[in-house]
Amino acid sequence: MKKVFTYAFLLFSIVTFSQKDFTGKAVYMSKTTMDMDNFGGRQFSEQQKKQIKERLKSTLEKTFTLNFNKSESLYKENEKLEAPGGGGRGFRFGGLSGGGTKYKNSKDNVALESTEFFGKQFLISDDMSQPKWELGSESKQIGNYTAFKATMLKEVDPADFSNFRRGPRGNNNKDEAKKDSTNKASGEIKKPEKVLVTAWFTPQIPVGSGPGEYWGLPGLILEVSAGRTTILCTEIVINPTDESVISKPTKGKEITREKYNEVVKVKMEEMRERFRGRGGNGRGGRGR
């Protein structure tokens, strides 16, 4: 009986929204955890690790606002004052928690992202291929909304350092090092090709929008977990009085997602070579 009531209530909500135009604003909190051991953390004391994580807090914990209507959305990081000595802006820890602005228009099949990478501004165009979500039967309550589960596998963002892992060191595990003939036994950082994404969406707000790059479900996405990053909606306002204009970003060098990923890949290879040159002896480059 409870399930019947829930589905009837959801259907009523969908029909009510479908009969009129509406706008909305959703605030999201993004948090990324980081395994210090994957970044040479073994050479730091627990106190040093704590200090490093505190300095990176502004990079690993962010808040965003999603303004949306039936077909468009604009997702932007909320500005905040940077603490002295805080985390730098050189690269992003995760495609979900990076800065910049993401615009989507499902009606016109337009997706644009304006973002900064190593001091350069890019305007990235994406295709709007329907994400390959698998809808589940699980549900849970998120605030005042009933949310349903959906999952998919996606390729890891080339600039997403949070999912990188260090390969086995030859002097720590000789058997594992022998099996790996790709030089990963030297402690080199490596990246998984795909990551499982779990999303929770509510049909009570029948728009295909969501935080970051995520969209394409039959309801607003309220929560996303992907690798070491979790994004949770903390506030929703329907038809806000301070309605924001949803407009395409225009700032940055125009580039396709494919070409941008090539730029990122080259920069990551440069960083990996520098890291390997410093840390290949297992002493973080301080052995001399």
Side-chain angles (χ1 to χ4, degrees), residues 189-260:
I189 290 179
K190 56 183 180 179
K191 173 177 69 69
E193 293 182 357
K194 293 188 176 182
V195 64
L196 176 66
V197 179
T198 300
W200 295 87
F201 68 96
T202 178
Q204 290 173 257
I205 305 178
V207 296
S209 302
E213 65 197 84
Y214 300 103
W215 67 285
L217 284 167
L220 181 67
I221 299 174
L222 302 182
E223 182 179 328
V224 176
S225 296
R228 292 181 172 274
T229 298
T230 298
I231 304 178
L232 180 63
C233 182
T234 59
E235 179 185 356
I236 296 177
V237 181
I238 301 299
N239 295 324
T241 54
D242 57 339
E243 181 180 340
S244 298
V245 176
I246 301 175
S247 58
K248 297 179 183 178
T250 58
K251 187 178 179 181
K253 176 183 176 182
E254 295 184 12
I255 190 172
T256 64
R257 177 66 62 182
E258 182 179 5
K259 292 294 184 182
Y260 175 74

Side-chain angles (χ1 to χ4, degrees), residues 31-267:
K31 185 172 183 179
T32 300
T33 60
M34 187 178 72
D35 186 348
M36 290 295 298
D37 288 344
N38 289 337
F39 294 87
R42 294 182 180 90
Q43 61 186 301
F44 300 126
S45 67
E46 290 303 317
Q47 181 62 27
Q48 288 173 318
K49 290 181 183 180
K50 185 177 180 181
Q51 291 174 348
I52 293 172
K53 287 183 178 180
E54 187 61 32
R55 293 186 65 184
L56 289 173
K57 188 173 182 180
S58 63
T59 301
L60 300 174
E61 297 180 13
K62 296 177 179 290
T63 57
F64 298 82
T65 296
L66 177 74
N67 290 288
F68 61 88
N69 55 38
K70 282 187 175 182
S71 60
E72 292 181 290
S73 67
L74 191 68
Y75 186 72
K76 189 174 182 180
E77 181 181 343
N78 296 341
E79 294 184 5
K80 60 183 178 181
L81 293 176
E82 187 77 25
R89 296 172 57 87
F91 54 84
R92 297 182 292 151
F93 282 95
L96 288 169
S97 59
T101 302
K102 294 179 175 65
Y103 168 86
K104 294 186 187 68
N105 186 322
S106 58
K107 182 179 179 181
D108 297 333
N109 291 322
V110 174
L112 295 171
E113 177 183 357
S114 177
T115 190
E116 182 182 326
F117 183 71
F118 275 91
K120 295 183 179 180
Q121 195 74 29
F122 293 91
L123 183 62
I124 309 162
S125 61
D126 274 307
D127 63 31
M128 288 286 284
S129 300
Q130 178 67 29
K132 298 179 180 179
W133 293 106
E134 290 188 14
L135 302 183
S137 58
E138 296 179 53
S139 66
K140 68 177 181 179
Q141 200 73 12
I142 299 180
N144 296 323
Y145 299 92
T146 300
F148 294 88
K149 184 178 180 179
T151 58
M152 73 171 173
L153 284 174
K154 81 172 186 74
E155 294 185 359
V156 172
D157 184 338
D160 184 354
F161 270 71
S162 66
N163 290 305
F164 281 35
R165 292 177 175 83
R166 182 182 289 280
R169 291 184 178 275
N171 57 356
N172 289 339
N173 191 332
K174 295 181 180 180
D175 291 335
E176 192 170 0
K178 288 179 181 178
K179 293 178 184 178
D180 194 337
S181 59
T182 60
N183 201 31
K184 292 174 183 176
S186 64
E188 173 183 338
I189 290 179
K190 56 183 180 179
K191 173 177 69 69
E193 293 182 357
K194 293 188 176 182
V195 64
L196 176 66
V197 179
T198 300
W200 295 87
F201 68 96
T202 178
Q204 290 173 257
I205 305 178
V207 296
S209 302
E213 65 197 84
Y214 300 103
W215 67 285
L217 284 167
L220 181 67
I221 299 174
L222 302 182
E223 182 179 328
V224 176
S225 296
R228 292 181 172 274
T229 298
T230 298
I231 304 178
L232 180 63
C233 182
T234 59
E235 179 185 356
I236 296 177
V237 181
I238 301 299
N239 295 324
T241 54
D242 57 339
E243 181 180 340
S244 298
V245 176
I246 301 175
S247 58
K248 297 179 183 178
T250 58
K251 187 178 179 181
K253 176 183 176 182
E254 295 184 12
I255 190 172
T256 64
R257 177 66 62 182
E258 182 179 5
K259 292 294 184 182
Y260 175 74
N261 286 344
E262 290 177 8
V263 171
V264 172
K265 184 178 180 181
V266 170
K267 180 60 69 173

